[in-house]
Amino acid sequence: MSEWTLLWMFVPTFFLISASPGLCMMLAMSFGASLGLRRTLWVITGELAGVALIALTALLGYTRVLVEHPALLQGFKYGGALYLLWLGVMGWRASRGGALVPEADRGRLALALRGFTVAISNPKSWLFMMTLLPPFISPDLDVGRQTLAFVALIVLIECVNLLLYAYGGQKANRLLQGQGRGDLLGRVSSLLMMGIALYWLLG
């Protein structure tokens, strides 16, 4: 099977999974609603760096350590869940005060770091990359070129979907603000984050 065939099989598979609502997408939507698309680009940059790191480690085989040491994977799971729970609580409190996220006044680096931290603390991203990516790597082709191609595709597809969610959050917030319900989107996002966190903690 050629390299191009593998890539074209991978694109629709990853696009559909990436487009589904998840932690990174909800974060982009929340920040897009509160800060606007332009400033949310820094959050998206951090998220993309985190996703690229996860994909790269999965393709290079470093995630074998997580498989061979389940305690590390559990640490990622519970650490990410607690962090997500904290984000949800803070988002809920901020939405009651008229803002969707408490980081509205933070600088670019802080926004990028928030996106990066959320991306790498998501245990589902690690499990997904560990199971999806290896089957697409052909031992008959240059591994280095395949690795670069897949990481580039993952970042590109993830970027498109994050931008769509951020733009959607911005438009939805403007609509709700016009109806006097500017806090609704923030509360819904916060509840979803807390729900996912509790599912991870109790699952």
Side-chain angles (χ1 to χ4, degrees), residues 76-88:
F76 269 100
K77 175 182 177 181
Y78 291 117
L82 291 173
Y83 184 66
L84 181 58
L85 184 62
W86 178 80
L87 283 179

Side-chain angles (χ1 to χ4, degrees), residues 135-157:
F136 282 96
I137 298 295
S138 172
D140 300 326
L141 302 172
D142 183 81
V143 176
R145 286 180 57 190
Q146 290 183 86
T147 299
L148 290 176
F150 278 113
V151 171
L153 275 175
I154 288 169
V155 170
L156 177 61
I157 294 171

Side-chain angles (χ1 to χ4, degrees), residues 21-37:
L23 174 55
C24 288
M25 297 301 160
M26 285 192 298
L27 191 72
M29 182 181 69
S30 295
F31 275 90
S34 63
L35 304 183
L37 181 60

Side-chain angles (χ1 to χ4, degrees), residues 158-197:
E158 192 78 358
C159 181
V160 170
N161 288 319
L162 287 170
L163 288 172
L164 289 174
Y165 270 81
Y167 179 74
Q170 177 179 269
K171 297 295 287 186
N173 184 53
R174 289 178 178 175
L175 178 62
L176 291 172
Q177 289 283 1
Q179 299 176 353
R181 297 301 307 275
D183 61 337
L184 181 60
L185 186 59
R187 293 187 178 188
V188 171
S189 299
S190 298
L191 286 174
L192 288 173
M193 289 183 184
M194 289 187 281
I196 294 174

